Amino acid sequence: MTKVIVTGPESSGKTTLCKQLSEQFKIPFTEEFSRKYIDNLDREYLQEDLVIISKEQLKNEQLTTNNKQLSLHDTDLITLKIWSEYKYGNCNDWITYQIEQQKQEERFYFLCSPDIPWEEDPQRENPHNREELFEIYKLELEQLGHNYSILEGQKRLEKSIKKITELIS
């Protein structure tokens, strides 16, 4: 089974693309758990919260992999690693261990370019450094040895449908 993960910096079209791909391939997708979690906090989130978020994100990813050919995910643990390192300067060992374990899976990443307009959202923190974060995502995927394709411009959906069709054929 191929796991397709849509990743990238904030406000780069990840969730919109996941919804479109979910409809196209008639499969559910794993939503970004951090949104629900942070929305329900009555305080600022802390670095320790990222481990809780990571565990739930991974659990949800595993629950969504019931299709024999394809599963679709709006972000994954790599996003949480980048988030933790960028904001706090380090990442919890549990998260990095799980990411290493995932290298054994058949994973494909769509890395969304931040070439679309920024949309304000109470959980978004980085409106001015999306390009820098994009480069961090790219480097991380390369260092981990994951296959990925960069999605940019207006033809994201068409390009991703074509690539997924190739992956599952």
Side-chain angles (χ1 to χ4, degrees):
M1 182 211 353
T2 301
K3 290 185 178 183
V4 173
I5 299 93
V6 180
T7 195
E10 296 173 333
S11 194
S12 60
K14 298 179 298 291
T15 302
T16 299
L17 181 61
C18 276
K19 287 176 182 175
Q20 293 169 328
L21 291 171
S22 175
E23 290 174 20
Q24 173 70 29
F25 290 98
K26 304 199 179 350
I27 60 170
F29 72 96
T30 304
E31 295 181 13
E32 183 181 13
F33 181 75
S34 62
R35 294 200 148 274
K36 185 185 306 182
Y37 182 84
I38 292 172
D39 277 348
N40 289 315
L41 282 180
D42 57 358
R43 58 173 170 76
E44 292 291 317
Y45 72 87
L46 306 170
Q47 187 175 19
E48 301 86 67
D49 291 313
L50 300 184
V51 176
I52 296 166
I53 291 167
S54 295
K55 288 180 178 182
E56 283 300 312
Q57 186 73 36
L58 182 59
K59 183 175 101 179
N60 291 343
E61 179 180 313
Q62 292 165 341
L63 290 172
T64 309
T65 57
N66 56 5
N67 182 303
K68 290 186 169 98
Q69 272 192 306
L70 175 69
S71 64
L72 180 61
H73 309 280
D74 183 351
T75 75
D76 71 348
L77 298 183
I78 292 173
T79 296
L80 288 145
K81 178 180 186 270
I82 291 169
W83 182 6
S84 185
E85 289 176 344
Y86 194 80
K87 183 162 180 139
Y88 300 105
N90 60 62
C91 183
N92 181 281
D93 290 340
W94 185 90
I95 297 171
T96 56
Y97 175 79
Q98 296 302 323
I99 290 170
E100 282 298 314
Q101 296 304 301
Q102 291 175 338
K103 287 167 56 174
Q104 301 168 28
E105 299 173 356
E106 191 175 335
R107 298 173 84 82
F108 184 85
Y109 288 80
F110 286 118
L111 175 55
C112 294
S113 172
D115 63 348
I116 60 176
W118 169 267
E119 289 187 21
E120 187 67 35
D121 180 311
Q123 290 188 19
R124 293 184 177 148
E125 301 175 359
N126 300 295
H128 305 294
N129 53 353
R130 295 189 302 154
E131 278 298 326
E132 176 188 1
L133 287 162
F134 175 81
E135 292 301 323
I136 293 170
Y137 275 90
K138 187 175 166 188
L139 182 61
E140 187 72 28
L141 291 172
E142 289 170 359
Q143 288 176 340
L144 289 166
H146 287 301
N147 292 321
Y148 71 95
S149 180
I150 294 174
L151 296 177
E152 52 195 352
Q154 300 300 313
K155 302 268 185 201
R156 294 167 189 243
L157 180 60
E158 294 86 349
K159 184 177 180 181
S160 57
I161 290 170
K162 182 179 178 194
K163 183 63 180 177
I164 290 173
T165 303
E166 290 171 10
L167 289 169
I168 62 176
S169 296

